[in-house]
């Protein structure tokens, strides 16, 4: 059995990292965040008998099962079991204190079953001791991040092995116990909020920086459930998440749990009532939009884009604020990031009404013109794909008199000089769409472009003529100097 435990503790595969939290007992009810798609998995409840564990001098007392003792003694036994689970062990060495670890594991599994089944009603003292035991186990100093050990400026999670906590097989059961306690229908929130207080929530948020994705998955589900069950904590949780984002954006630009926190916020934003509070609009402007600034946006962009789009869908008047905010943080040299921005802008424009579109269309399409001319073909391709979206084409057609003069020159430059043939074809299609929208406007823009090109050629020819005159004058002066010396 311990050979298996050691193998599982040392395994660091990507498939493990992508697994959702696995309950220790039976399959749990649906506890997923609204838009998170995860598959619930069940684990077999194999119990290792203590007879198979090498016996060491008695450090941990083996207690009877709670169900086996009289009702009057169960509360006392429950608290004794919590005290056993407060013991901490060194999980880097699998064989060290093996017997004690197994007693603790079995005790934790029993506690999960008791809380889940509701067979042992928890009074106030038991709840206090339960939260204390959970706190002792999960609130700890996280190990140094991988970039701190390697000195690397940034790491690619797809290339590097993910960190997997060696104590996870015990820690997981503690998280499962906390989750069962939070979602238990028997829990009295008026009592529980004394122990699951602001300090507890803040420490939970600190754990989101864990590099173990399995831990972050549990934290995400638990925090979302706390937010849903304890209305008194909601403003504090939103403010605390704000603070995490501010520190990440303006100080560290390093945090492992930004994607998970954004996933929780996606569900929270989805439940905002209308008209939207000023507090929520400030959160959009001061936290969500600046989250487009960090270099590591690829790790959480999908969740961020979902949150941004939710705001615009809730209140279409925010579209102008969002679009101008994205333009403010537009990447200059990061082509991969620019592709993400173009995709996100397309989603925002799908929820944008003509009045809001009119306010931001000029700076927006100046940037789109630059993206169309990008030498990076994926950027140019993603910008030209906008014309496959019927809603965006409808907005462009409605305001074509302002948009075509901005885009005509970038389209002509692509037709005449872009190196990629696929971009040539897409550009020709967009150009033809504008021609079919309004032939008269198209011919007018074409004439203006040709006139501008003719003036540019004249300026260039005049510049070249001036240089030739200067060269001739310099040569003449040099010749005169030679004659005077002779």
């Amino acid at each position: 059995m311990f050979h298996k435990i050691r193998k599982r503790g040392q395994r660091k595969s990507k498939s493990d990292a992508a697994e959702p939290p696995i309950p220790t007992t039976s399959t749990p009810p649906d506890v997923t965040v609204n838009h998170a798609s995860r598959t619930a998995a069940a684990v077999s409840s194999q119990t290792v008998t203590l007879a198979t564990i090498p016996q060491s001098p008695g450090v941990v007392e083996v207690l009877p099962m709670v169900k086996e003792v009289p009702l009057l003694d169960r509360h006392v036994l429950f608290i004794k079991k919590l005290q056993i689970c407060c013991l901490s062990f060194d999980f880097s060495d699998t064989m060290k204190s093996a017997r004690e670890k197994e007693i603790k594991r079995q005790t934790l599994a029993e506690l999960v079953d008791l809380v889940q089944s509701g067979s042992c009603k928890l009074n106030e003292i038991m709840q206090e001791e339960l939260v204390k035991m959970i706190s002792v186990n999960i609130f700890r100093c996280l190990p140094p991040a991988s970039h701190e050990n390697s000195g690397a400026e940034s790491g690619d999670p797809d290339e590097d092995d993910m960190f997997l906590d060696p104590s996870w097989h015990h820690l997981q059961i503690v998280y499962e116990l906390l989750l069962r306690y939070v979602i238990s229908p028997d829990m009295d929130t008026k009592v529980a909020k004394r122990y699951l207080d602001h300090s507890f929530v803040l420490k939970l948020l600190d754990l989101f920086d864990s590099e173990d994705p399995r831990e972050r998955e549990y934290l995400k589900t638990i925090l979302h459930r706390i937010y849903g069950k304890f209305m008194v904590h909601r403003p504090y949780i939103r403010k605390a998440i704000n603070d995490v984002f501010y520190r990440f954006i303006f100080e560290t630009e390093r945090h492992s749990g930004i994607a998970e926190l954004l996933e929780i916020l996606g569900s929270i934003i989805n439940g905002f009532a209308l008209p939207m509070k000023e507090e929520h609009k400030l959160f959009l402007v001061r936290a969500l939009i600046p989250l487009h600034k960090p270099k590591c946006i690829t790790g959480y962009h999908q969740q961020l884009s979902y949150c941004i789009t939710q705001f615009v869908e809730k209140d279409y008047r925010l579209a102008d604020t969002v679009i101008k905010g994205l333009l403010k943080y537009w990447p200059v040299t990061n082509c991969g990031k620019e592709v993400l921005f173009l995709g996100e802008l397309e989603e925002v424009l799908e929820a944008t009404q003509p009045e809001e579109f009119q306010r931001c269309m000029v700076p927006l399409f100046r940037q789109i013109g630059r993206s169309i001319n990008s030498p990076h073909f994926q950027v140019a391709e993603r910008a030209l794909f906008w014309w496959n979206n019927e809603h965006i084409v409808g907005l462009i057609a409605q305001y074509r008199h302002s948009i075509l003069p901005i885009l005509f020159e970038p389209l002509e430059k692509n037709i005449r000089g872009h190196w990629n043939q696929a971009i040539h074809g897409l550009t020709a299609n967009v150009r033809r769409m504008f021609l079919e929208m309004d032939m008269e406007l198209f011919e007018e823009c074409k004439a203006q472009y040709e006139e501008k090109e003719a003036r540019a050629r004249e300026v260039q020819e005049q510049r070249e003529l001036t240089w030739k005159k200067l060269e001739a004058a310099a040569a003449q002066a040099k010749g005169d100097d030679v004659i005077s010396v002779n």
Side-chain angles (χ1 to χ4, degrees), residues 33 35 208 220 241 245 257-269 283 287-288 291 299-308:
V33 178
H35 59 281
F208 272 88
K220 176 181 70 179
I241 292 176
F245 288 164
I258 298 299
E260 285 80 9
L261 290 173
L262 285 169
E263 195 168 344
I264 295 170
L265 284 169
S267 294
I268 293 173
I269 295 165
F283 169 67
L288 287 186
L291 275 172
Y300 57 83
H301 181 263
Q302 181 180 355
Q303 293 84 358
L304 176 60
S305 178
Y306 179 86
C307 291
I308 294 286

Side-chain angles (χ1 to χ4, degrees), residues 275-346:
M276 200 173 293
K277 293 179 181 178
E278 194 63 28
E279 167 203 345
H280 303 327
K281 295 177 184 178
L282 287 174
F283 169 67
L284 169 67
V285 173
R286 294 178 179 177
L288 287 186
I289 291 176
L291 275 172
H292 291 83
K293 180 186 172 216
K295 297 176 184 177
C296 56
I297 186 175
T298 51
Y300 57 83
H301 181 263
Q302 181 180 355
Q303 293 84 358
L304 176 60
S305 178
Y306 179 86
C307 291
I308 294 286
T309 309
Q310 284 289 304
F311 265 103
V312 179
E313 288 177 355
K314 284 277 181 183
D315 187 351
Y316 69 89
R317 292 170 296 182
L318 294 172
D320 174 51
T321 302
V322 167
I323 291 170
K324 288 179 178 176
L326 287 173
L327 293 176
K328 176 182 177 181
Y329 293 102
W330 198 271
V332 178
T333 58
N334 190 330
C335 295
K337 193 173 174 182
E338 188 169 359
V339 170
L340 294 178
F341 273 50
L342 288 165
E344 182 178 350
L345 266 178
E346 182 176 353

